[in-house]
Amino acid sequence: MDRLITEEAYSAFAERGCVRLPGFLPPESAEPAMQRVQRVLARAAPSDSVTAVRERLKPLARLPEFSTLLTLEVRQCASELAGGQTLSEPVDRPQILFTPPDASIWTVPHKIWHLDIPRLGAVGLVGVQMFTFLDKVEAGGGGTVVVAGSHRLLNDEGRIRSKDVKRRLSKEAYFQDLFNGALPDRERFIDEIGHLEDVPLQVVEFTGEPGHVYFNDLRVLHSLAANARNAPRLMLTQRFFATEEIGALYAGET
């Protein structure tokens, strides 16, 4: 089977922990899923909480309109990025990501930076997460944000829980600034590359449109972001784990 990932994309993923693949899926493939979502959103009342809307969206992910976006090519690409490993999917459906417009001004977040599973030391890469778009998500529109390069930190210290990873990183100048909400000019974390020793670090905001795909190393520190646009953030994600045991650990942590 021919490789789907170019050497350039593979190297970028290894260096930064995330890679963007524009047009990886046919853009029209998201339309049936988006229509399902729009029907649910059209029935939502202004008084409905964000949690309530997310709960109504959650069952949709079991429908074929959503699962068909997890194509054989997506799975092959995830495997290639994981060095050819056969990956498991302990959760049998993708996850719909919904963030309504909830802010007037967007800035790089200073809190809720976390990992979905602990650092596991010498295990190395524990899995790959795929993100794609049901509708266009512009800059400042609530897309997931990650610290590219952070997957290369704290990999030689055994198992470390997410909150302890953040605590240890908060001792370093780059992360002290990132976690400081009073710091002005926070967009510099996107515009500039910082460093921790020899590891380059940069905040990346996942933006794009139907057909675009991001792959993310599960060791990368990430956070929620505000949506300062007029449209909801609507994305789809799925996690692929290096072993079933690691997948079970994720389920236990969350």
Side-chain angles (χ1 to χ4, degrees):
M1 184 180 295
D2 294 337
R3 284 180 57 89
L4 296 176
I5 287 292
T6 66
E7 287 300 323
E8 181 181 16
Y10 185 86
S11 296
F13 182 80
E15 172 78 9
R16 294 170 59 80
C18 62
V19 65
R20 180 176 183 262
L21 303 178
F24 187 82
L25 295 172
E28 64 274 11
S29 62
E31 290 178 6
M34 186 59 186
Q35 290 173 4
R36 288 280 192 175
V37 168
Q38 287 174 328
R39 291 174 201 162
V40 172
L41 297 183
R43 295 195 298 268
S47 59
D48 289 343
S49 68
V50 175
T51 300
V53 175
R54 285 176 176 155
E55 286 300 312
R56 290 176 198 153
L57 290 172
K58 185 185 295 186
L60 296 183
R62 295 186 180 276
L63 299 175
E65 291 92 330
F66 296 83
S67 60
T68 53
L69 292 170
L70 301 178
T71 63
L72 291 176
E73 290 78 11
V74 165
R75 291 181 167 92
Q76 179 185 338
C77 193
S79 175
E80 289 179 9
L81 291 170
Q85 297 182 70
T86 299
L87 303 177
S88 68
E89 299 172 53
V91 180
D92 62 358
R93 64 190 182 281
Q95 179 184 357
I96 299 168
L97 302 176
F98 165 74
T99 306
D102 59 2
S104 58
I105 298 175
W106 189 91
T107 189
V108 173
H110 68 278
K111 57 184 179 180
I112 320 181
W113 290 99
H114 67 285
L115 302 173
D116 291 335
I117 62 175
R119 271 284 194 275
L120 297 178
V123 170
L125 184 143
V126 295
V128 176
Q129 186 168 4
M130 167 266 200
F131 295 83
T132 192
F133 300 83
L134 301 181
D135 199 8
K136 186 174 183 178
V137 176
E138 297 181 303
T144 300
V145 287
V146 306
V147 181
S150 58
H151 65 304
R152 297 169 57 188
L153 306 173
L154 302 180
N155 285 318
D156 57 355
E157 301 185 30
R159 175 178 168 136
I160 313 173
R161 296 177 62 186
S162 174
K163 66 179 182 179
D164 292 325
V165 168
K166 183 176 179 181
R167 177 178 56 79
R168 294 193 190 191
L169 291 178
S170 67
K171 299 175 182 178
E172 307 293 340
Y174 179 89
F175 290 98
Q176 285 177 358
D177 288 348
L178 180 62
F179 301 156
N180 179 3
L183 191 74
D185 188 27
R186 296 189 58 79
E187 282 68 25
R188 70 181 176 86
F189 293 106
I190 287 181
D191 298 334
E192 302 172 5
I193 297 176
H195 289 82
L196 177 49
E197 297 179 351
D198 62 342
V199 177
L201 302 168
Q202 185 177 21
V203 171
V204 175
E205 181 186 13
F206 287 0
T207 61
E209 55 193 62
H212 295 190
V213 171
Y214 281 86
F215 286 96
N216 191 56
D217 187 312
L218 282 173
R219 294 172 295 176
V220 167
L221 199 70
H222 56 279
S223 181
L224 307 175
N227 183 354
R229 295 289 182 172
N230 293 324
R233 184 273 295 242
L234 290 165
M235 297 172 65
L236 198 72
T237 188
Q238 176 67 312
R239 296 171 181 85
F240 303 91
F241 294 94
T243 67
E244 291 183 1
E245 290 77 12
I246 292 174
L249 179 61
Y250 161 75
E253 287 288 319
T254 59

